[in-house]
Amino acid sequence: MELLTIGAFAKASRLSPKALRLYDELELLRPARVDPDTGYRYYTVRQLRRARLVAWLRRLGMPLAEIRAVCDLAAADAAREVRAYWARVEAETAARRDLAAFLVDELTAESRRDHTTMLELRYSAHSDRGHVRASNQDCVYAGRRLLAVADGFGPAGAPASSAAVEALRFLDEGEAPGAGDVLNLLEDAVRSAGEAVRDLADGGEEAGTTLTALLWTGSKLALVHIGDSRAYLLRDGELFRISHDHSVVQSLIDEGRLSPEEARSHPQRALLLRALGADGPAVAADLRLQEAREGDRYLLCSDGLTGVVADARIKELLAGAADPEAAAGVLIDAANTAGGPDNVSCVVADVVVAAAPSAPVG
């Protein structure tokens, strides 16, 4: 059996001798022979395939623990894991790309709109127990600046969702935050919401909740999102989902292991990867900014709607309703007509031209 010195093997595999020594210590790539006197490492030609795979996966940025698992799989299974890893990277990159686009816009002012036309929100919020659940653990809020939906779970789910929304209520008061400050403001607020929910859990009852909220700045809407409640935008007749579910089935869809159709009936569709107040340390929420346009219609909803009403039907009902009040009502009716297996909550808001202020008297 032909042996290669560590230097020759490093050159052939495009891994440095330092990296090879590290991978030996981590039992990721063990040498074929170690000289008992000098400690010098030797490798076989057959080990080059594994070494090159390790080098490629490191260039992808894959963590060493995942690389070890991938290297021990058959080729087809390894390919599937690499595809799944890259899907996760792309999802995380997309969130950072949105933030980068906002920062470029703010710093260069190249794509600022003419804000001489003042806009405001017209909104409505409704929540319903549904036909199956004994109580309603959802909580909704709609004000001139803040829109929010929270879907609680566990024995203390109702207090949890209420506590999360209550922690954001102060955002609806005072002056509208500037676009440059709103993400930091939301990040602090959702951290407080998580602490409030965890305080309930410390009281002895299991408590957790999703949270999806929009904060109005006067020209933009800032989204904060964690869990599987959703935010949608209806613009120019097209429906866009602007939140990303933090659920087991969504991760399987992202990784190409499950189709959206299969996800609707998957036995783990209710399992969340991220939520407020769940066991363990605080988790980060998604934050992004959304440019607002006159005529936009926004929907925040719990999964009691999306679990039984398809996006195509949601689009049809949103587009056909005369105003937010009617839209929220028909969406909840649609969920209950489909069986109402869960609590269902909807907040609908239209972006409209602001009414002229009243003329002062005297």
Side-chain angles (χ1 to χ4, degrees), residues 41-330:
R41 296 170 173 85
Y42 294 89
Y43 299 82
T44 68
V45 174
R46 294 179 60 184
Q47 290 180 285
L48 281 173
R49 182 181 177 278
R50 183 182 179 97
R52 287 167 179 161
L53 178 58
V54 170
W56 291 332
L57 294 176
R58 286 299 289 159
R59 290 183 66 184
L60 278 180
M62 184 178 285
L64 289 173
E66 291 188 48
I67 290 176
R68 181 185 292 109
V70 169
C71 288
D72 291 336
L73 296 173
D77 294 333
R80 185 166 55 251
E81 290 301 318
V82 172
R83 188 182 303 113
Y85 167 75
W86 194 246
R88 294 196 300 272
V89 171
E90 288 183 323
E92 294 166 0
T93 302
R96 293 197 297 271
R97 182 181 62 237
D98 290 341
L99 180 57
F102 159 69
L103 291 174
V104 169
D105 182 41
E106 287 296 306
L107 293 172
T108 66
E110 290 179 355
S111 60
R112 290 190 184 276
R113 292 182 171 273
D114 179 5
H115 295 313
T116 56
T117 300
M118 299 300 292
L119 301 175
E120 65 181 12
L121 298 180
R122 299 282 171 80
Y123 48 83
S124 182
H126 289 283
S127 185
D128 191 87
R129 180 171 59 86
H131 294 329
V132 175
R133 297 296 177 91
S135 62
N136 191 350
Q137 294 188 316
D138 288 359
C139 183
V140 296
Y141 180 83
R144 62 195 184 101
R145 295 204 185 100
L146 178 68
L147 313 170
V149 167
D151 181 359
F153 56 85
S161 62
S162 297
V165 171
E166 187 63 31
L168 270 61
R169 286 274 301 263
F170 77 95
L171 297 171
D172 206 35
E173 303 166 357
E175 295 297 321
D181 301 323
V182 67
L183 292 181
N184 290 335
L185 186 63
L186 268 179
E187 187 174 35
D188 291 342
V190 79
R191 186 180 300 115
S192 297
E195 292 171 356
V197 176
R198 284 193 296 277
D199 287 345
L200 289 173
D202 291 342
E205 288 189 295
E206 180 186 358
T209 186
T210 69
L211 179 64
T212 303
L214 289 168
L215 182 61
W216 176 244
T217 71
S219 61
K220 293 181 172 67
L221 280 159
L223 171 72
V224 60
H225 167 72
I226 187 165
D228 64 352
S229 296
R230 289 184 182 175
Y232 289 91
L233 164 63
L234 182 71
R235 172 177 287 174
D236 298 329
E238 296 298 323
L239 186 69
F240 306 93
R241 194 205 305 184
I242 59 173
S243 62
H244 191 77
D245 291 354
H246 302 139
S247 63
V248 170
V249 294
Q250 185 63 58
S251 69
L252 295 175
I253 292 172
D254 294 342
E255 294 168 6
R257 304 185 188 192
L258 201 66
S259 71
E261 293 72 24
E262 293 169 331
R264 294 179 68 86
S265 58
H266 195 279
Q268 293 183 316
R269 61 187 179 277
L271 293 183
L272 298 177
L273 296 177
R274 281 196 256 168
L276 290 181
D279 292 340
V283 291
D286 292 344
L287 295 164
R288 62 174 289 179
L289 272 168
Q290 183 76 31
E291 188 83 30
R293 299 182 189 173
E294 181 187 352
D296 285 350
R297 175 166 284 179
Y298 286 87
L299 166 67
L300 305 183
C301 61
S302 62
D303 66 340
L305 175 68
T306 55
V308 293
V309 181
D311 281 7
R313 181 60 174 157
I314 291 175
K315 171 186 171 182
E316 179 183 352
L317 294 172
L318 268 181
D323 53 42
E325 177 81 15
V330 296

